[in-house]
Amino acid sequence: MTELIPAPRSIVSGSGEVRLTAHSQLYADTGTQGVGHWLRTVLRQATGLPLREGREPDDAGGDGIRLQRDPELGPEEYRLVSDGNGVLIEGGSPAGVFWGAQTLRQLLGPDAYRRAPLGRDRAWAVPCLTVRDAPRFRWRGLMLDVARHFMRKDDVLRCLDLMAAHKLNVFHFHLTDDQGWRIQIERHPRLTEIGSWRARTKTGHRASPLWEEKPHGGYYTQDDIREIVAYAAERHITVVPEIDVPGHSQAAIAAYPELGNTDVIDTTALSVWDTWGINPNVLAPTDNTLRFYEGVFEEVLELFPSEFVHVGGDECPKDQWRRSETAQARIRELGLADEDELQSWFIGHFDAWLSARGRRLIGWDEILQGGLAKGAAVSSWRGYAGGIAAARAGHDVVMCPEQQVYLDHRQDPGPDEPVPIGWVRTLEDVYRFEPVPPELTPEEARHVLGTQANVWTEVMEDPTRVDYQTFPRLAAFAEVAWSALPAPAERDFAGFERRMTAHYPRLDALGVAYRPPAGPLPWQRRPGVLGRPIDGPPPHR
């Protein structure tokens, strides 16, 4: 059971094992009680052992578990020692202790991931060893798009559990788009009354002739959001909300037509979009639009305590602005050169607005066009170029290039791959992804906060499809984000595959409908549903 994912910095094996028994206790020192509660809960469920609360460190001696902080360790660093004194997990902060607890769960075997004991006698043992570990990046993210296909709150909570099991710590929550608005905003109720559902949905790629002829929708109440944020915080995951501006906004315009370019099109005729692609209907650059979204963001800030707030900024066609006298008047008024600078002004407004409230704006790399807002960070999705340009200009960057870590892209070139989208990105391809471009100097590279895998759900109609596209590749990505790996060509993929043979049973116990190494199971295929595969290797740019 020492086949750990992600790989730790070091493992030193000892001799013997520590057996947890009905007499074992779990002691958590000051500041780690939350981790102790989480660990006691999941292990009680899986093992049936009581794991009574220890009042003193010595209570956990021999066959127990101790959780302690060590100020000499880094914030997310941990040390796990299993020996004749029991199991000791020390971390530089509660987060470090929590990641050590995740390692302990792996060491106990796949049945430690079950929600109830199997009802047969078995020994729960941890091999004697010492694990020393710390993450490479502070931002180890997963983006989940719930705008294209809504996911129930319980499915979101499950996603957070799966992230925690892989030591990922940033959940980028893509809450709004043309196809749906998923967060309750009390001062603007039509955003969910109208904007949260569409009359039908395209099945497959946008060129597909197939439709699901029934309404699709849903949204999270503010109490749902509070629960999700609190659940994530218990697992030392930060939730970064995304509210798209000024593009990807047709659902909002359908709810409030005055937000659109009313002097160009009849915005009252718009409905929530039922297909995929880049939508021409974008927000009007008016004071009314700014005040409306300031109200949205005021409520968002009350719900999400994250340092960063994502504002989208991608794929904003400028055609309506070019035809809009209102937009052209705004360009003249502000002395701007063109529509790209108008978008930069729009993003810059919310950068200043968020900064004044102690938050930081982050957006997709299109926000570089026309000049990047001073305090903004960039999610580099169109390749490496945007991230390189941003880092060289002194802006923080999260590397999530489409060509490498978009998990909606197909996993294999085979004909049975369901709804094949994009380039082939195999498990090995993801494992050999390198987030820090070699073109950056060491000083510039310090602006790379970390990396993120993105899960866009246009062709993922339910959680089982999300599972299939996400796993097992998310395990490889997690190792890239956490572990101190060598250069891509030198990485031991054969060793990773060997460790994955131990990890698949963990995923099985968690109920993850991953893609098997041998290919999709019959019920995972989608014959006859058109995708959009792209041949050849992805460009490196």
Side-chain angles (χ1 to χ4, degrees):
M1 288 299 109
T2 58
E3 305 286 9
L4 301 176
I5 289 179
R9 297 263 171 122
S10 72
I11 303 178
V12 178
S13 298
S15 59
E17 62 184 17
V18 175
R19 288 202 172 196
L20 301 182
T21 71
H23 302 291
S24 297
Q25 297 188 44
L26 191 156
Y27 168 79
D29 79 350
T30 303
T32 67
Q33 293 94 335
V35 181
H37 174 75
W38 174 85
L39 183 59
R40 184 178 293 108
T41 298
V42 296
L43 293 187
R44 276 178 175 172
Q45 289 176 344
T47 68
L49 299 175
L51 291 174
R52 290 183 297 275
E53 182 178 350
R55 300 296 180 181
E56 301 291 339
D58 290 345
D59 293 342
D63 65 353
I65 302 169
R66 285 175 292 153
L67 309 179
Q68 298 178 183
R69 288 184 298 172
D70 181 348
E72 298 298 316
L73 299 176
E76 291 190 280
E77 186 177 1
Y78 72 88
R79 179 172 52 244
L80 187 155
V81 180
S82 172
D83 59 18
N85 296 312
V87 178
L88 170 65
I89 300 174
E90 296 176 297
S93 73
V97 175
F98 182 74
W99 304 130
Q102 292 289 354
T103 296
L104 172 62
R105 202 178 181 193
Q106 289 198 19
L107 291 170
L108 284 166
D111 289 344
Y113 289 86
R114 299 191 180 276
R115 295 188 184 181
L118 296 180
R120 58 174 180 253
D121 292 336
R122 61 154 295 172
W124 293 95
V126 182
C128 288
L129 46 63
T130 299
V131 179
R132 298 177 186 272
D133 203 5
R136 179 184 179 192
F137 294 110
R138 63 174 263 206
W139 185 302
R140 306 180 302 280
L142 175 69
M143 189 226 69
L144 180 64
D145 165 26
V146 295
R148 275 50 176 268
H149 278 100
F150 179 69
M151 291 185 68
R152 301 174 312 130
K153 179 191 67 179
D154 284 354
D155 295 320
V156 174
L157 300 180
R158 174 177 176 268
C159 179
L160 292 169
D161 281 330
L162 292 172
M163 287 180 63
H166 293 83
K167 298 185 174 71
L168 299 175
N169 70 340
V170 178
F171 179 56
H172 176 170
F173 206 7
H174 184 81
L175 288 162
T176 73
D177 218 295
D178 301 302
Q179 296 85 1
W181 185 284
R182 304 295 180 215
I183 178 173
Q184 178 190 24
I185 302 297
E186 291 179 346
R187 73 189 70 187
H188 301 307
R190 294 207 303 272
L191 286 172
T192 46
E193 291 171 0
I194 295 172
S196 70
W197 68 276
R198 56 184 181 263
R200 65 176 187 168
T201 300
K202 173 66 69 174
T203 300
H205 182 256
R206 61 181 176 270
S208 166
L210 304 176
W211 295 87
E212 185 181 40
E213 297 286 354
K214 67 178 184 181
H216 177 89
Y219 67 92
Y220 308 102
T221 68
Q222 294 202 355
D223 280 346
D224 290 337
I225 294 293
R226 291 185 183 97
E227 181 182 356
I228 289 167
V229 170
Y231 194 87
E234 288 176 349
R235 287 146 184 81
H236 298 275
I237 295 171
T238 298
V239 183
V240 174
E242 181 177 353
I243 306 294
D244 261 303
V245 296
H248 286 290
S249 298
Q250 182 161 318
I253 297 169
Y256 292 91
E258 65 272 20
L259 297 174
N261 294 285
T262 57
D263 58 345
V264 174
I265 64 163
D266 178 11
T267 57
T268 64
L270 295 177
S271 58
V272 178
W273 212 25
D274 57 11
T275 189
W276 322 123
I278 299 175
N279 189 298
N281 297 301
V282 303
L283 297 174
T286 64
D287 289 343
N288 175 67
T289 300
L290 298 181
R291 300 293 88 77
F292 183 96
Y293 274 88
E294 286 171 1
V296 168
F297 282 117
E298 282 180 7
E299 296 192 27
V300 167
L301 296 192
E302 291 175 1
L303 295 168
F304 296 93
S306 56
E307 174 187 1
F308 289 95
V309 174
H310 208 291
V311 300
D314 63 316
E315 297 179 330
C316 177
K318 310 299 192 298
D319 292 346
Q320 289 185 357
W321 287 354
R322 293 187 185 98
R323 295 159 49 205
S324 166
E325 179 51 39
T326 299
Q328 293 302 311
R330 179 67 91 179
I331 289 173
R332 292 192 297 271
E333 172 196 339
L334 297 170
L336 304 176
D338 55 21
E339 291 76 18
D340 283 343
E341 287 196 4
L342 182 62
Q343 177 170 342
S344 179
W345 165 81
F346 199 107
I347 297 297
H349 173 87
F350 285 104
D351 177 59
W353 190 91
L354 289 167
S355 295
R357 289 154 181 80
R359 306 298 185 93
R360 294 183 64 188
L361 178 146
I362 186 168
W364 303 111
D365 56 52
E366 284 94 332
I367 67 174
L368 291 162
Q369 297 168 359
L372 182 58
K374 181 179 178 181
V378 169
S379 300
S380 187
W381 78 272
R382 291 180 297 174
Y384 287 99
I388 292 169
R392 286 176 172 167
H395 295 276
D396 288 338
V397 178
V398 175
M399 297 302 301
C400 49
E402 173 188 17
Q403 301 87 343
Q404 308 296 330
V405 288
Y406 267 36
L407 300 186
D408 51 320
H409 286 206
R410 58 191 173 136
Q411 304 182 64
D412 187 90
D416 290 331
E417 210 60 33
V419 200
I421 298 295
W423 293 283
V424 173
R425 293 287 85 193
T426 65
L427 184 66
E428 181 172 1
D429 290 330
V430 174
Y431 190 68
R432 297 194 188 280
F433 163 59
E434 173 49 49
V436 179
E439 297 93 328
L440 296 181
T441 68
E443 182 62 32
E444 292 164 347
R446 291 191 185 96
H447 287 289
V448 179
L449 299 177
T451 184
Q452 179 173 290
N454 293 339
V455 179
W456 300 102
T457 62
E458 286 95 335
V459 298
M460 301 181 214
E461 70 277 9
D462 57 39
T464 60
R465 281 284 292 125
V466 172
D467 276 6
Y468 179 91
Q469 291 298 133
T470 305
F471 289 96
R473 292 184 294 180
L474 193 68
F477 172 80
E479 185 147 311
V480 169
W482 176 277
S483 304
L485 298 177
E490 300 168 13
R491 293 177 188 171
D492 181 9
F493 180 67
F496 176 77
E497 280 192 306
R498 185 195 68 246
R499 286 182 286 120
M500 278 302 299
T501 63
H503 198 63
Y504 287 118
R506 297 174 191 138
L507 298 179
D508 290 331
L510 286 164
V512 178
Y514 57 85
R515 181 188 188 276
L521 298 166
W523 55 86
Q524 293 175 319
R525 300 167 189 163
R526 296 292 186 274
V529 180
L530 184 66
R532 182 177 172 266
I534 303 175
D535 293 330
H540 184 89
R541 65 178 189 271

PDB file of all heavy atoms in Angstrom, residues 12-26:
ATOM      1  N   VAL A  12      10.734   6.419   3.369  1.00  0.00           N
ATOM      2  CA  VAL A  12      11.735   5.532   3.935  1.00  0.00           C
ATOM      3  C   VAL A  12      11.000   4.417   4.659  1.00  0.00           C
ATOM      4  O   VAL A  12      10.261   4.664   5.624  1.00  0.00           O
ATOM      5  CB  VAL A  12      12.672   6.266   4.916  1.00  0.00           C
ATOM      6  CG1 VAL A  12      13.669   5.291   5.527  1.00  0.00           C
ATOM      7  CG2 VAL A  12      13.404   7.399   4.193  1.00  0.00           C
ATOM      8  N   SER A  13      11.149   3.190   4.162  1.00  0.00           N
ATOM      9  CA  SER A  13      10.422   2.057   4.733  1.00  0.00           C
ATOM     10  C   SER A  13      11.107   1.555   5.996  1.00  0.00           C
ATOM     11  O   SER A  13      12.339   1.557   6.104  1.00  0.00           O
ATOM     12  CB  SER A  13      10.321   0.923   3.710  1.00  0.00           C
ATOM     13  OG  SER A  13       9.588   1.340   2.579  1.00  0.00           O
ATOM     14  N   GLY A  14      10.271   1.137   6.958  1.00  0.00           N
ATOM     15  CA  GLY A  14      10.763   0.493   8.161  1.00  0.00           C
ATOM     16  C   GLY A  14      10.371  -0.969   8.153  1.00  0.00           C
ATOM     17  O   GLY A  14      10.073  -1.536   7.096  1.00  0.00           O
ATOM     18  N   SER A  15      10.354  -1.595   9.314  1.00  0.00           N
ATOM     19  CA  SER A  15       9.933  -2.989   9.413  1.00  0.00           C
ATOM     20  C   SER A  15       8.742  -3.084  10.339  1.00  0.00           C
ATOM     21  O   SER A  15       8.638  -2.361  11.333  1.00  0.00           O
ATOM     22  CB  SER A  15      11.078  -3.852   9.955  1.00  0.00           C
ATOM     23  OG  SER A  15      11.484  -3.399  11.228  1.00  0.00           O
ATOM     24  N   GLY A  16       7.825  -3.953   9.972  1.00  0.00           N
ATOM     25  CA  GLY A  16       6.633  -4.149  10.782  1.00  0.00           C
ATOM     26  C   GLY A  16       5.493  -3.255  10.325  1.00  0.00           C
ATOM     27  O   GLY A  16       5.531  -2.666   9.237  1.00  0.00           O
ATOM     28  N   GLU A  17       4.459  -3.157  11.160  1.00  0.00           N
ATOM     29  CA  GLU A  17       3.281  -2.376  10.830  1.00  0.00           C
ATOM     30  C   GLU A  17       2.602  -1.910  12.109  1.00  0.00           C
ATOM     31  O   GLU A  17       2.833  -2.450  13.190  1.00  0.00           O
ATOM     32  CB  GLU A  17       2.308  -3.205   9.983  1.00  0.00           C
ATOM     33  CG  GLU A  17       1.776  -4.441  10.687  1.00  0.00           C
ATOM     34  CD  GLU A  17       0.902  -5.295   9.788  1.00  0.00           C
ATOM     35  OE1 GLU A  17       0.964  -5.119   8.556  1.00  0.00           O
ATOM     36  OE2 GLU A  17       0.148  -6.129  10.324  1.00  0.00           O
ATOM     37  N   VAL A  18       1.768  -0.886  11.954  1.00  0.00           N
ATOM     38  CA  VAL A  18       0.918  -0.410  13.047  1.00  0.00           C
ATOM     39  C   VAL A  18      -0.493  -0.856  12.746  1.00  0.00           C
ATOM     40  O   VAL A  18      -1.041  -0.523  11.686  1.00  0.00           O
ATOM     41  CB  VAL A  18       0.981   1.121  13.182  1.00  0.00           C
ATOM     42  CG1 VAL A  18      -0.011   1.595  14.237  1.00  0.00           C
ATOM     43  CG2 VAL A  18       2.390   1.574  13.523  1.00  0.00           C
ATOM     44  N   ARG A  19      -1.091  -1.610  13.664  1.00  0.00           N
ATOM     45  CA  ARG A  19      -2.458  -2.088  13.469  1.00  0.00           C
ATOM     46  C   ARG A  19      -3.432  -1.226  14.261  1.00  0.00           C
ATOM     47  O   ARG A  19      -3.285  -1.060  15.467  1.00  0.00           O
ATOM     48  CB  ARG A  19      -2.587  -3.544  13.909  1.00  0.00           C
ATOM     49  CG  ARG A  19      -1.913  -4.520  12.975  1.00  0.00           C
ATOM     50  CD  ARG A  19      -2.490  -5.909  13.127  1.00  0.00           C
ATOM     51  NE  ARG A  19      -1.983  -6.823  12.114  1.00  0.00           N
ATOM     52  CZ  ARG A  19      -2.545  -7.983  11.829  1.00  0.00           C
ATOM     53  NH1 ARG A  19      -3.610  -8.388  12.497  1.00  0.00           N
ATOM     54  NH2 ARG A  19      -2.034  -8.751  10.887  1.00  0.00           N
ATOM     55  N   LEU A  20      -4.410  -0.682  13.557  1.00  0.00           N
ATOM     56  CA  LEU A  20      -5.489   0.023  14.235  1.00  0.00           C
ATOM     57  C   LEU A  20      -6.483  -1.007  14.769  1.00  0.00           C
ATOM     58  O   LEU A  20      -6.841  -1.959  14.058  1.00  0.00           O
ATOM     59  CB  LEU A  20      -6.194   0.985  13.276  1.00  0.00           C
ATOM     60  CG  LEU A  20      -5.325   2.068  12.629  1.00  0.00           C
ATOM     61  CD1 LEU A  20      -6.177   2.967  11.738  1.00  0.00           C
ATOM     62  CD2 LEU A  20      -4.591   2.896  13.670  1.00  0.00           C
ATOM     63  N   THR A  21      -6.919  -0.805  16.004  1.00  0.00           N
ATOM     64  CA  THR A  21      -7.811  -1.761  16.651  1.00  0.00           C
ATOM     65  C   THR A  21      -8.979  -1.027  17.290  1.00  0.00           C
ATOM     66  O   THR A  21      -9.068   0.209  17.246  1.00  0.00           O
ATOM     67  CB  THR A  21      -7.060  -2.539  17.753  1.00  0.00           C
ATOM     68  OG1 THR A  21      -6.796  -1.641  18.846  1.00  0.00           O
ATOM     69  CG2 THR A  21      -5.746  -3.115  17.228  1.00  0.00           C
ATOM     70  N   ALA A  22      -9.840  -1.796  17.911  1.00  0.00           N
ATOM     71  CA  ALA A  22     -10.978  -1.207  18.618  1.00  0.00           C
ATOM     72  C   ALA A  22     -10.529  -0.345  19.789  1.00  0.00           C
ATOM     73  O   ALA A  22     -11.306   0.472  20.302  1.00  0.00           O
ATOM     74  CB  ALA A  22     -11.916  -2.310  19.104  1.00  0.00           C
ATOM     75  N   HIS A  23      -9.277  -0.493  20.202  1.00  0.00           N
ATOM     76  CA  HIS A  23      -8.754   0.290  21.321  1.00  0.00           C
ATOM     77  C   HIS A  23      -7.981   1.527  20.861  1.00  0.00           C
ATOM     78  O   HIS A  23      -7.580   2.348  21.689  1.00  0.00           O
ATOM     79  CB  HIS A  23      -7.838  -0.586  22.185  1.00  0.00           C
ATOM     80  CG  HIS A  23      -8.515  -1.810  22.720  1.00  0.00           C
ATOM     81  ND1 HIS A  23      -9.498  -1.756  23.676  1.00  0.00           N
ATOM     82  CD2 HIS A  23      -8.362  -3.119  22.392  1.00  0.00           C
ATOM     83  CE1 HIS A  23      -9.907  -2.988  23.939  1.00  0.00           C
ATOM     84  NE2 HIS A  23      -9.245  -3.832  23.169  1.00  0.00           N
ATOM     85  N   SER A  24      -7.760   1.661  19.562  1.00  0.00           N
ATOM     86  CA  SER A  24      -6.967   2.779  19.054  1.00  0.00           C
ATOM     87  C   SER A  24      -7.678   4.108  19.292  1.00  0.00           C
ATOM     88  O   SER A  24      -8.915   4.208  19.196  1.00  0.00           O
ATOM     89  CB  SER A  24      -6.709   2.615  17.551  1.00  0.00           C
ATOM     90  OG  SER A  24      -5.955   1.448  17.291  1.00  0.00           O
ATOM     91  N   GLN A  25      -6.890   5.122  19.599  1.00  0.00           N
ATOM     92  CA  GLN A  25      -7.427   6.457  19.791  1.00  0.00           C
ATOM     93  C   GLN A  25      -6.787   7.413  18.790  1.00  0.00           C
ATOM     94  O   GLN A  25      -5.721   7.147  18.237  1.00  0.00           O
ATOM     95  CB  GLN A  25      -7.163   6.935  21.230  1.00  0.00           C
ATOM     96  CG  GLN A  25      -7.864   6.090  22.284  1.00  0.00           C
ATOM     97  CD  GLN A  25      -7.762   6.686  23.663  1.00  0.00           C
ATOM     98  OE1 GLN A  25      -7.943   7.893  23.839  1.00  0.00           O
ATOM     99  NE2 GLN A  25      -7.471   5.863  24.655  1.00  0.00           N
ATOM    100  N   LEU A  26      -7.477   8.526  18.565  1.00  0.00           N
ATOM    101  CA  LEU A  26      -6.987   9.549  17.649  1.00  0.00           C
ATOM    102  C   LEU A  26      -6.875  10.852  18.433  1.00  0.00           C
ATOM    103  O   LEU A  26      -7.869  11.359  18.966  1.00  0.00           O
ATOM    104  CB  LEU A  26      -7.924   9.721  16.458  1.00  0.00           C
ATOM    105  CG  LEU A  26      -7.416  10.559  15.277  1.00  0.00           C
ATOM    106  CD1 LEU A  26      -8.147  10.169  13.990  1.00  0.00           C
ATOM    107  CD2 LEU A  26      -7.581  12.058  15.508  1.00  0.00           C
TER     108      LEU A  26
END
